Amino acid sequence: MDFSPEFRDRLDQLFRWRRDVRRFRPDAVPAETVTRLIEQASDAPSVGLSQPWRFVLVETEAARLAALANFEAANASAMAGYEGARQQLYAGLKLSGMREAPVQIAVFCDEATGQGHGLGAATMPEMRRYSTVCAIMQLWLAARAEGVGLGWVSILDPVRLRDDLGVPPDWVLVGYLCVGYPAEEHTDPELERAGWEDRSHPRILTV
């Protein structure tokens, strides 16, 4: 397949407009859109063709409240690890859209999957989780192309969330995703705008 310069330019724009969204409009995302995005994510590469990702739609009020309580406890603990001005800055950050996002997806890696017959994972078992990350990134870009935003929440107790959602014990949480239409659009990271950290240039080594 030969992609045109115009396509590559649009792809570059897609990369730049892919942002971690934490502020969502209340508009519902059509169920068929969510299904299509997950199907596109499942075209991601995976070690040994194991496809170890498991997408769990978090829809019930009980499940969402459990996930939110998990985040709030983990967030309070994380904030306690900072002091002074940095703690004050942390306290003002919006680090999840869990109260607003109309779609929430917990993405797990099935560490016990027999699919792929262990190819490539015997020496580097973490490749299953890396494969799951690839699927999340593919979902992220596909969502952005449809005008849908995604925010990845990592301030969570993964074991507690696994147990609260009642998924198998061999599933390991990789990401909790908030999905919906963005309330605002930016090409720069929110943490950079908030003064938390500046984006650095690529680190490239030659050996």
Side-chain angles (χ1 to χ4, degrees):
M1 177 66 71
D2 183 21
F3 294 105
S4 68
E6 292 76 16
F7 176 88
R8 293 195 296 272
D9 180 65
R10 298 285 286 176
L11 181 61
D12 182 68
Q13 292 182 49
L14 177 62
F15 291 155
R16 294 178 185 277
W17 280 101
R18 182 227 50 84
R19 294 268 60 88
D20 194 339
V21 176
R22 295 158 192 175
R23 305 172 195 277
F24 297 93
R25 304 201 314 259
D27 315 50
V29 180
E32 58 269 23
T33 299
V34 176
T35 298
R36 182 170 58 254
L37 294 177
I38 291 176
E39 289 174 347
Q40 290 175 308
S42 297
D43 285 332
S46 62
V47 62
L49 198 57
S50 58
Q51 297 178 283
W53 44 76
R54 304 290 181 262
F55 295 95
V56 178
L57 295 175
V58 183
E59 296 185 340
T60 67
E61 182 180 9
R64 289 197 176 193
L65 287 175
L68 180 60
N70 186 326
F71 165 76
E72 290 177 340
N75 192 46
S77 178
M79 185 167 61
Y82 297 101
E83 297 180 347
R86 180 61 64 171
Q87 186 181 71
Q88 292 180 354
L89 181 58
Y90 184 98
L93 298 174
K94 182 171 176 54
L95 297 175
S96 94
M98 295 171 74
R99 292 185 180 276
E100 305 87 9
V103 178
Q104 297 181 33
I105 307 172
V107 186
F108 293 86
C109 174
D110 182 358
E111 298 283 0
T113 181
Q115 186 169 336
H117 306 286
L119 193 158
T123 50
M124 293 182 65
E126 65 270 23
M127 285 300 297
R128 294 191 184 97
R129 299 187 195 184
Y130 297 161
S131 299
T132 304
V133 171
C134 287
I136 292 174
M137 191 64 187
Q138 194 145 311
L139 190 155
W140 210 333
L141 292 170
R144 178 65 279 187
E146 296 211 26
V148 177
L150 184 152
W152 185 331
V153 182
S154 62
I155 306 172
L156 292 162
D157 178 333
V159 174
R160 173 179 168 183
L161 186 69
R162 181 200 67 198
D163 293 343
D164 284 341
L165 298 184
V167 301
D170 290 320
W171 291 14
V172 175
L173 181 70
V174 175
Y176 191 92
L177 312 181
C178 294
V179 181
Y181 296 105
E184 52 189 31
E185 301 274 6
H186 298 278
T187 57
D188 55 335
E190 180 164 337
L191 290 179
E192 187 173 48
R193 294 197 306 278
W196 181 262
E197 185 59 271
D198 293 325
R199 175 171 285 238
S200 61
H201 295 290
R203 296 175 175 86
I204 303 174
L205 301 178
T206 300
V207 297

